[in-house]
Amino acid sequence: MSSKIYRIQSYQYFEERIKNSLFICHCAPVFSAEEAFDFFNKYSQSDATHNCWAFKLIDSYRFNDDGEPGGTAGRPMLQAIEGKNLINIASLVIRYYGGIKLGTGGLMRAYGGVTAKCLDLATLIEVVPTKKIICKVPFSDIAIVKSKFTQGISVVEENFTNEGVVWQLEVEENLVSNLGQTVINLTKGKGVWDILEIKQ
């Protein structure tokens, strides 16, 4: 299994009729549980038989069967998400019952299947782990240090002080150690390179 993780680039929609029942899937990138619930509230249909959902963030997940037999809707949807190594995603599957019962296995295949097919349509973006860094550099070294900010390094904030500049950076994890040493060397030990410990 790939160790890479991904998110979807943008909202995606898919629908399929299975034994007269209409299944409508909405998927979208989300970055918090609040965003996920806002998304579910926006797209849920009050006249539908079921509005089942699942979401997965970096460090948490939840799902709901909304009246379908336990384990036949939300969990297969989550498994479809995890099968594609996705995070920061919410998926809602709306079912309009068509008069033919699908059975436990049929429901699991339907909910998991329409979610997977919806995700197949999405553009995936690799999620690269990053660290937040506070970097302080004297005026005399700003230009040379900034020239080392290549791909994988983004300046979130830039504030000037009496001594120089303070940057808040977002740096890909695999670059943090080497770049920190480079900053210290270029500034002859005057620079500061502090990793901010962010609690997810």
Side-chain angles (χ1 to χ4, degrees), residues 14-18 21-25 94 110 113-114 117:
F14 176 81
E15 66 175 62
E16 183 176 10
R17 198 170 286 278
I18 301 170
S21 282
L22 178 62
F23 290 84
I24 301 168
C25 184
I94 300 161
V114 295
K117 288 172 185 175

Side-chain angles (χ1 to χ4, degrees), residues 6 8 19 24 27 37-38 53 56 65 69 89 94 104 111 113 127 131 144 152 172 184 188 195 200:
Y6 301 89
I8 65 172
K19 291 188 177 176
I24 301 168
C27 292
F37 288 119
D38 285 346
W53 52 260
K56 185 173 175 68
D65 296 316
I89 180 169
I94 300 161
T104 301
Y111 281 99
V127 178
K131 293 270 190 192
I144 186 141
E172 291 182 7
I184 299 304
K188 300 180 176 59
I195 299 172
Q200 293 291 355

